[in-house]
Amino acid sequence: MFRPASADIPVVDGSQKQNQRGITLRCQSGGPDTVNGRPTVRWDATAPDGGHGSLWYDQNLSFIVKILRTSKGGVQSGYELQNIKEGTQPQKLFEFPAGYRQFTLTRLVDVLMGLGQMAVANGDS
């Protein structure tokens, strides 16, 4: 899942990534809509192969709260966030449990390039 950088066209970042894989999406605004009582903007996308879908972007959250898609073969999939409650989260939720440590993308790349190693059983690397 990606988090759009802009409310103006929230599918742009995803479309650019799709285009890198040789898929071209045509996107257009479906206008204002409501999902679970929250104001959203719907965006509709179609692919040349016949696949299509829609996403609902909540501008207050800067997040996509619903996606529905249908593949060229007619398979339907998607997700919808429900019971959204805005508010602060306890800091404890973001603390690492004892014996764990942060594993960054940079560290992963180093491991994959042979410049580092994964942590051993006792937590040291």
Side-chain angles (χ1 to χ4, degrees):
M1 183 179 332
F2 70 94
R3 185 172 186 164
S6 167
D8 295 330
I9 306 178
V11 293
V12 168
D13 290 337
S15 296
Q16 289 171 347
K17 290 176 185 174
Q18 298 288 344
N19 283 335
Q20 291 172 0
R21 295 190 331 226
I23 301 169
T24 303
L25 295 175
R26 301 286 179 242
C27 303
Q28 65 181 30
S29 174
D33 205 345
T34 303
V35 174
N36 292 311
R38 297 189 65 88
T40 62
V41 177
R42 190 183 85 235
W43 286 86
D44 301 315
T46 56
D49 68 3
H52 57 89
S54 298
L55 66 80
W56 286 259
Y57 181 78
D58 185 320
Q59 293 178 316
N60 293 330
L61 297 175
S62 299
F63 204 78
I64 296 169
V65 295
K66 180 177 178 179
I67 289 181
L68 293 177
R69 55 189 166 251
T70 304
S71 72
K72 67 179 178 180
V75 176
Q76 295 181 338
S77 62
Y79 71 83
E80 180 177 323
L81 303 180
Q82 299 179 348
N83 302 317
I84 296 170
K85 295 181 178 91
E86 295 183 62
T88 58
Q89 300 298 316
Q91 185 60 37
K92 185 171 178 85
L93 292 176
F94 301 97
E95 295 173 3
F96 292 102
Y100 288 82
R101 62 188 167 102
Q102 184 175 9
F103 191 81
T104 64
L105 181 58
T106 303
R107 184 163 173 78
L108 175 61
V109 170
D110 287 348
V111 168
L112 295 174
M113 299 290 293
L115 302 173
Q117 60 185 358
M118 299 290 286
V120 293
N122 68 3
D124 297 330
S125 59

